[in-house]
Amino acid sequence: MAILEQQKRLKIILGNKDFTVNEAKDLLKEAPPITSNSTDVIKKILLGALVALAVVIAAILTYYWFVYSSTHISTDNAYIESDLFPVNCRIMGYVKEILVSENELVKRGQVLALLDDADFNVELRFKKGKLDKTIADMTRARSLIKHRAISNSDFEALQTALIANQADYDGTMLKIKYTQITAPSDGIVAKKVV
């Protein structure tokens, strides 16, 4: 089989001439080996496909790395320092409305949640009425004290009642203010538990 291959090579190189075996051997030693165009083409196609595959894999890995790294933070046993501000309400009550969601950016003083303030509004109207009555009594007592129509102790009792009713009214106003739960600083709502 090797001799037939050599003869084919020789015929390809020198044309279709007949040679003796010894002449053919001598010519084959001098002749360069024949390369087939089809094997070269296959090798080039395979090499091109491998290069294209490597480029595609590199592009996919690069894209994945950028997308993954933009959404995930990785630390090697490092600590991240941050300030946590637990947000609690100062009064008890039913939650009327929550105005933020988790992972939302908030500014200092922004209202996060509202408590039901209906009871406090009723209490405020009652205490406003008491305060208005005490103010009217105090106005009348000032004119009466000038004419010595009431005693100093009654006048002082009215002054004390006015101060107490004013403080009571201010306390209820403060409770109504506390129905708005606000952010203590700028930041992100990490976890909400209601």
Side-chain angles (χ1 to χ4, degrees), residues 81-118:
E81 186 176 328
S82 68
D83 296 321
L84 295 176
F85 294 98
V87 178
N88 298 315
C89 54
R90 297 181 73 170
I91 58 171
M92 290 179 40
Y94 293 106
V95 176
K96 183 177 179 181
E97 186 177 3
I98 298 172
L99 304 173
V100 295
S101 58
E102 288 185 3
N103 299 321
E104 184 177 332
L105 289 172
V106 293
K107 298 286 182 192
R108 183 175 191 208
Q110 178 180 343
V111 178
L112 305 175
L114 297 173
L115 298 180
D116 186 18
D117 60 353

Side-chain angles (χ1 to χ4, degrees), residues 138-163:
M138 190 64 190
T139 305
R140 197 171 36 251
R142 283 192 181 120
S143 66
L144 292 175
I145 196 79
K146 290 179 187 176
H147 302 305
R148 300 212 177 247
I150 61 169
S151 67
N152 284 338
S153 65
D154 288 342
F155 186 75
E156 289 171 359
L158 278 173
Q159 282 180 323
T160 304
L162 179 62
I163 292 169

Side-chain angles (χ1 to χ4, degrees), residues 16-166:
N16 286 330
K17 297 180 184 175
D18 289 327
F19 299 100
T20 64
V21 175
N22 289 334
E23 290 174 340
K25 283 183 181 179
D26 291 338
L27 287 172
L28 282 174
K29 287 179 187 174
E30 297 171 8
I34 298 175
T35 59
S36 172
N37 288 340
S38 62
T39 57
D40 286 345
V41 170
I42 291 173
K43 286 180 184 178
K44 287 180 182 178
I45 290 173
L46 284 176
L47 181 63
L50 284 176
V51 168
L53 182 64
V55 168
V56 168
I57 289 173
I60 289 171
L61 289 176
T62 302
Y63 174 76
Y64 176 76
W65 182 74
F66 278 116
V67 169
Y68 183 83
S69 66
S70 69
T71 58
H72 292 78
I73 297 172
S74 174
T75 61
D76 296 329
N77 294 330
Y79 293 95
I80 298 173
E81 186 176 328
S82 68
D83 296 321
L84 295 176
F85 294 98
V87 178
N88 298 315
C89 54
R90 297 181 73 170
I91 58 171
M92 290 179 40
Y94 293 106
V95 176
K96 183 177 179 181
E97 186 177 3
I98 298 172
L99 304 173
V100 295
S101 58
E102 288 185 3
N103 299 321
E104 184 177 332
L105 289 172
V106 293
K107 298 286 182 192
R108 183 175 191 208
Q110 178 180 343
V111 178
L112 305 175
L114 297 173
L115 298 180
D116 186 18
D117 60 353
D119 295 339
F120 298 119
N121 286 327
V122 170
E123 184 180 337
L124 182 69
R125 285 194 303 271
F126 174 74
K127 290 183 179 178
K128 175 72 172 145
K130 275 178 63 175
L131 180 62
D132 289 344
K133 168 89 169 83
T134 308
I135 291 172
D137 289 346
M138 190 64 190
T139 305
R140 197 171 36 251
R142 283 192 181 120
S143 66
L144 292 175
I145 196 79
K146 290 179 187 176
H147 302 305
R148 300 212 177 247
I150 61 169
S151 67
N152 284 338
S153 65
D154 288 342
F155 186 75
E156 289 171 359
L158 278 173
Q159 282 180 323
T160 304
L162 179 62
I163 292 169
N165 286 337
Q166 182 67 50

